[in-house]
Amino acid sequence: MTQHVTDTVATRTPAEASGRPEWWRDAVIYQVYPRSFADSNGDGIGDLPGIRARLPYLNELGVDAVWLSPFYASPQADGGYDVADYRAVDPMFGTLTDADDLIRDAHALGLRIIVDLVPNHCSNQHEWFRQALREGPGSPLRGRFHFRPGKGADGELPPNDWESIFGGPAWTRVTEPDGSPGEWYLHLFAPEQPDFNWDHPAVHDEFRSILRFWLDMGIDGFRVDVAHGLVKAAGLPDVGHDGQVKLLGTQAVPYFDQDGVHEIYRSWRRVLDEYPGERIAVAEAWTPTVERSALYLRPDELHQAFNFDYLGTGWNAAELRDVIDRSLSAMNAVHAPATWVLSNHDVVRHSTRLAGGDAARGLRRARAATLLMLALPGSAYVYQGEELGLPEVVDLPDEVRQDPAFFRSSGQDGTRDGCRVPLPWSGQAPPFGFGPAEQGPSWLPQPADWGRLTVAAQQGDGASTLEFYRRALAVRREHPALGAGRRITWLDGPEGVLAFRRDSGSGSFVCTVNLTGSPVALPTPGTLLLATADVEPGAPTTVLPADCAVWWSV
Ligand code: GLC
Ligand code: CA
């Protein structure tokens, strides 16, 4: 049998060599979108006390860390990714004391907490931006953002041809304090999200101080929003072609992935390393290639980056094998762990994305995709609700939608609300235990038939998606050959089937995935540990049903 080992670097990191693997190298990190997780006070919006009350649920699920999307003071023009005060909790989510309690309780359970950091832009209600508007052209505060005079006879045209990720020009013209039409400011996202000017030293100082503020509160790491966007090409040159960059896109443009960003991350790494324990940063970096992404993860920069190539790969064995190989080689080259992710708050939930219009098939594939992801070396990200097999909500009425991309859409699909619908916890009718009241509100409406998908309905049901996730995460913890390490050994298999081995000092393990629409017979590699469908291990072969994954110990 031919075997191909994906491994470019044989050396080990100091922690691996000393036998103490760094926690983040194979951590399973659960993303909480606070508005939609659990509402403690019945206003229809999830909040920090709601999350705190559900920490035991996350602990039982078996994840290692929780990443919280932004809960800072914000007018919520972009779901909190428009921060007005980086050191305050928005009253809608609670208080700093609630944050402190949440961090403390999480740690008591052995869960780490990662918070979102949004350094590319702030809210137009941030004090610096309000002051910059008040002070007028040429003022020092304007220097912390990208203000420019417009083009055209009266400055009526934007300074360059950059487009907002959410549609329309990336520039908005302001009215000066004297009432005249004035300068334009840059916003790569919504007009309510002015971009910081990272050429300005005050911006650097401010963010190092914000890092320390949250590190002092005891958090274990940061998820760095739009990590590739901070530095813009000198002179803000035109892109020179149309073609709007999509969310998570990979085009080379003068406002993304400029080499200057790396100096910023080196300085942040020095701050992180000042703190005891292993405090980490994970980059949301959309770059043209996985090799460019790996640059953010050199040993003196950040720790991990989301693998959007993997998320964007369809249900196709050859393409998945290719992206797995490319990811492992690129990450091994900089001694960083690979990461794997299938869903987040910006994309269509994978049970719907992989369904091809058939919900039952979507759920089968979603579970198989999860077993595949959890068998790969590195760190895996789970988005809230995927452990319940939640589908994307595709029929939200326009009047309840809040995604700014929906309102400015020009090519961007603008449908990020469908993956942000509040979680169903219990009961037979909305809000399904999301809030305390039996018929309380929820900021987005939940489908009436979600009673069968609640945590309470799935708990204890061996056939449920929730119990499947719990078992998978428990097995992953028991078997160090899953997750840990940095290599996989591909095994031969028929077309449309992925099969690979993972070895560790304490045992070996095989993962087989049938991505075809029909049953396939494979040599039985060992003892069945876990399968996403009914599988009867046979000798010498076992039949894998369509869209099914199996873990074997060997
Ligand atoms: C990131 C976030 C997304 C947000 C954008 C602007 O891509 O994940 O939700 O809209 O940054 O902050
Ligand atoms: Ca609330």
Side-chain angles (χ1 to χ4, degrees):
M1 193 180 266
T2 337
Q3 301 190 343
H4 314 270
V5 180
T6 296
D7 182 31
T8 49
V9 176
T11 52
R12 298 190 297 166
T13 64
E16 281 170 338
S18 71
R20 284 184 297 105
E22 295 144 315
W23 71 268
W24 43 275
R25 288 194 173 266
D26 61 352
V28 177
I29 301 175
Y30 183 98
Q31 179 187 1
V32 165
Y33 193 70
R35 280 211 290 186
S36 306
F37 191 69
D39 169 22
S40 71
N41 61 355
D43 63 357
I45 300 167
D47 44 50
L48 297 184
I51 302 168
R52 184 180 172 211
R54 307 285 184 176
L55 287 173
Y57 166 78
L58 296 176
N59 190 41
E60 256 176 69
L61 182 60
V63 298
D64 302 297
V66 180
W67 149 35
L68 303 167
S69 276
F71 50 79
Y72 314 110
S74 160
Q76 303 288 320
D78 181 21
Y81 284 94
D82 49 318
V83 180
D85 183 346
Y86 290 85
R87 297 178 184 81
V89 172
D90 197 282
M92 142 195 321
F93 295 122
T95 62
L96 275 178
T97 309
D98 292 329
D100 202 42
D101 290 343
L102 170 60
I103 296 164
R104 195 151 1 95
D105 281 13
H107 285 169
L109 290 170
L111 288 167
R112 317 240 179 192
I113 295 285
I114 292 173
V115 299
D116 224 302
L117 183 74
V118 189
N120 180 67
H121 46 263
C122 58
S123 160
N124 61 351
Q125 298 307 310
H126 189 283
E127 192 45 40
W128 283 10
F129 191 74
R130 288 157 55 111
Q131 231 176 307
L133 288 186
R134 280 199 300 272
E135 287 184 2
S139 75
L141 260 297
R142 287 214 174 173
R144 298 178 184 188
F145 299 92
H146 296 281
F147 278 90
R148 292 284 185 287
K151 284 186 175 162
D154 298 309
E156 74 282 10
L157 298 173
N160 71 17
D161 67 355
W162 296 2
E163 283 184 63
S164 153
I165 310 298
F166 293 155
W171 296 90
T172 290
R173 193 171 196 185
V174 305
T175 302
E176 299 301 356
D178 66 4
S180 63
E183 293 186 321
W184 298 69
Y185 68 89
L186 176 70
H187 53 85
L188 293 179
F189 294 87
E192 295 87 352
Q193 295 168 292
D195 279 50
F196 283 113
N197 173 14
W198 276 87
D199 287 333
H200 199 297
V203 176
H204 289 252
D205 292 346
E206 175 66 358
F207 272 90
R208 278 193 300 259
S209 151
I210 294 166
L211 289 178
R212 289 204 168 88
F213 179 86
W214 290 101
L215 290 165
D216 288 339
M217 292 252 314
I219 59 103
D220 302 283
F222 298 94
R223 177 261 187 190
V224 183
D225 188 65
V226 194
H228 55 297
L230 278 47
V231 172
K232 277 74 180 175
L236 311 184
D238 280 348
V239 173
H241 58 82
D242 35 282
Q244 187 198 9
V245 173
K246 300 260 180 151
L247 208 70
L248 316 186
T250 54
Q251 291 99 315
V253 281
Y255 45 86
F256 282 159
D257 195 32
Q258 301 295 305
D259 290 335
V261 294
H262 297 290
E263 200 41 58
I264 299 172
Y265 299 130
R266 285 189 198 105
S267 86
W268 289 11
R269 180 60 178 258
R270 290 194 290 273
V271 174
L272 292 168
D273 287 349
E274 279 172 22
Y275 284 78
E278 295 157 40
R279 315 288 180 108
I280 69 156
V282 47
E284 186 212 21
W286 333 334
T287 70
T289 62
V290 65
E291 288 75 22
R292 292 288 307 179
S293 294
L295 296 178
Y296 292 73
L297 309 178
R298 287 173 286 191
D300 58 346
E301 297 195 38
L302 306 181
H303 298 73
Q304 297 186 347
F306 293 107
N307 191 339
F308 294 125
D309 274 352
Y310 187 71
L311 185 153
T313 305
W315 194 237
N316 176 297
E319 287 169 19
L320 281 167
R321 177 170 169 162
D322 179 56
V323 70
I324 291 168
D325 279 344
R326 281 189 291 111
S327 306
L328 290 174
S329 339
M331 295 306 145
N332 283 344
V334 289
H335 301 280
T339 69
W340 315 100
V341 59
L342 294 164
S343 282
N344 66 33
H345 66 296
D346 289 330
V347 300
V348 171
R349 284 186 176 277
H350 65 277
S351 61
T352 300
R353 211 174 58 233
L354 301 176
D358 173 342
R361 178 170 62 194
L363 189 56
R364 279 199 305 273
R365 288 183 176 175
R367 290 193 195 190
T370 297
L371 269 205
L372 169 59
M373 164 173 97
L374 292 177
L376 294 170
S379 188
Y381 283 81
V382 171
Y383 176 53
Q384 67 176 36
E386 70 174 72
E387 79 278 18
L388 304 176
L390 292 190
E392 182 80 3
V393 179
V394 290
D395 56 357
L396 287 170
D398 287 0
E399 61 274 16
V400 305
R401 289 185 181 276
Q402 302 212 6
D403 179 0
F406 180 73
F407 300 102
R408 292 172 58 82
S409 168
S410 65
Q412 183 71 41
D413 22 31
T415 51
R416 293 183 298 167
D417 292 313
C419 62
R420 299 176 179 179
V421 171
L423 290 195
W425 292 92
S426 58
Q428 284 311 315
F432 298 112
F434 169 64
E438 239 169 65
Q439 292 184 335
S442 67
W443 71 277
L444 283 174
Q446 299 154 307
D449 65 352
W450 272 15
R452 67 200 158 82
L453 293 174
T454 64
V455 172
Q458 297 195 37
Q459 193 135 304
D461 170 2
S464 71
T465 306
L466 175 59
E467 293 297 346
F468 157 73
Y469 264 75
R470 286 181 174 163
R471 274 199 308 277
L473 291 168
V475 173
R476 193 177 191 271
R477 274 198 180 163
E478 279 162 30
H479 291 260
L482 283 151
R486 53 178 63 200
R487 71 172 73 178
I488 69 179
T489 306
W490 291 108
L491 307 175
D492 279 347
E495 200 177 316
V497 170
L498 290 177
F500 58 88
R501 222 188 52 228
R502 309 280 331 274
D503 298 299
S504 83
S506 54
S508 296
F509 160 91
V510 165
C511 177
T512 51
V513 191
N514 176 5
L515 292 97
T516 74
S518 338
V520 173
L522 291 178
T524 304
T527 312
L528 187 142
L529 281 171
L530 188 60
T532 61
D534 281 337
V535 172
E536 208 39 69
T541 61
T542 297
V543 175
L544 249 60
D547 297 318
C548 165
V550 184
W551 286 354
W552 309 87
S553 72
V554 295

